[in-house]
Amino acid sequence: MRNFTNDNELQIKKFGMLRRYEDSESFLLENLHLACEETANYLVIWCINLEMEEKHDLMEHVSHQTIVMQFILELAKSLEVDPKGCIKAFFSRIKLAEKQYMEAFNDELTSFKERIKTRAEEKIQAAIRETEEEEKQARLGPGGLDPVEVMNSLPISMQDCFEKKDIALLQKVIMELPQEEAECHMKRCIDSGLWVPGPSDGVGDGAATTDNTNSDNTENV
């Protein structure tokens, strides 16, 4: 498919931009090699990309031509002939505007556009998840913990200390917590990179950092 689309991309896109049935028929009859699965597949992918780029009107335009190509291929399959030999037959039926055939065409076009919107949204969400995961991996601390997740799990009093980078206040808050809980929180802070311990590993000898955290846990997409 790659070689075919590389060699015929401009022609496929030109077909995708046509609207009048007469123009589409003439163009395909002049470019019989475009009546194939590869053209239909390219048009489908193009529609998805257009929807992802929020070019909704253009997506709907190209969708029409995609269904034209798919109906030609389906007609060829039902007759067990080469799609090139079904171009005139398809357009003859369309031009006659047979009610049942036009209803089937329009129903499939509507359904196709909905499928394109769904698929585009799925791909967008997948890309967002992938980006978020990459960002998460990039900010993991020395112990493999995410500083954003650790920050959000801390008691509010400790979060306030880190946001203010107030080591004295942090030391006070730690001292007021049960020893086991305090040690657990500080270990997670160290493993996430929120806290860089000093030589004696004491709270007063280290440094608080919030450079790689986002206090409101929002992402710019």
Side-chain angles (χ1 to χ4, degrees):
M1 178 179 175
R2 181 174 298 178
N3 290 337
F4 179 86
T5 53
N6 286 342
D7 294 339
N8 298 281
E9 185 172 18
L10 292 178
Q11 287 179 307
I12 296 174
K13 284 194 169 184
K14 184 174 181 179
F15 172 75
M17 295 303 294
L18 297 175
R19 170 57 66 183
R20 297 174 64 246
Y21 288 124
E22 293 81 359
D23 295 336
S24 295
E25 181 180 11
S26 297
F27 187 78
L28 288 178
L29 289 175
E30 292 172 2
N31 299 276
L32 292 174
H33 61 288
L34 294 182
C36 62
E37 291 285 350
E38 288 81 1
T39 296
N41 292 338
Y42 182 93
L43 291 171
V44 170
I45 294 171
W46 189 15
C47 286
I48 293 173
N49 290 337
L50 288 171
E51 182 65 18
M52 291 176 67
E53 295 166 4
E54 299 186 352
K55 297 177 180 178
H56 309 299
D57 290 342
L58 186 54
M59 179 278 286
E60 296 198 356
H61 184 100
V62 177
S63 290
H64 179 273
Q65 295 300 90
T66 306
I67 300 305
V68 166
M69 182 56 63
Q70 289 185 350
F71 262 57
I72 291 173
L73 296 175
E74 285 300 316
L75 180 59
K77 187 181 297 183
S78 66
L79 298 176
E80 297 183 348
V81 298
D82 191 304
K84 299 179 183 67
C86 290
I87 295 173
K88 287 187 177 182
F90 165 75
F91 285 105
S92 292
R93 299 186 71 174
I94 283 292
K95 290 174 184 176
L96 288 173
E98 299 176 12
K99 182 179 179 181
Q100 186 175 359
Y101 199 67
M102 289 303 300
E103 286 180 351
F105 182 92
N106 290 327
D107 287 347
E108 178 56 25
L109 177 57
T110 299
S111 177
F112 176 78
K113 287 187 288 189
E114 288 304 313
R115 295 196 301 272
I116 288 296
K117 292 175 182 178
T118 298
R119 181 57 181 147
E121 181 61 26
E122 290 173 348
K123 289 175 71 68
I124 289 172
Q125 293 303 318
I128 292 173
R129 289 193 297 270
E130 183 178 350
T131 299
E132 289 176 342
E133 182 59 28
E134 289 175 353
E135 292 176 349
K136 177 179 178 179
Q137 291 299 319
R139 66 178 179 246
L140 292 182
L145 297 185
D146 182 356
V148 173
E149 293 179 0
V150 172
M151 182 71 163
N152 291 335
S153 71
L154 293 175
I156 298 298
S157 56
M158 286 187 68
Q159 290 186 35
D160 188 51
C161 295
F162 278 104
E163 289 173 353
K164 294 178 179 178
K165 295 188 178 182
D166 190 330
I167 295 175
L169 181 58
L170 177 61
Q171 185 176 33
K172 180 176 181 296
V173 170
I174 289 294
M175 293 296 291
E176 293 173 351
L177 291 174
Q179 183 177 352
E180 186 175 346
E181 181 181 351
E183 289 176 353
C184 177
H185 285 313
M186 289 310 297
K187 183 181 185 305
R188 297 183 75 244
C189 288
I190 292 170
D191 289 344
S192 67
L194 273 176
W195 178 262
V196 180
S200 63
D201 293 331
V203 172
D205 300 306
T209 174
T210 57
D211 292 343
N212 54 0
T213 66
N214 185 339
S215 59
D216 61 3
N217 200 26
T218 60
E219 298 285 347
N220 293 321
V221 178

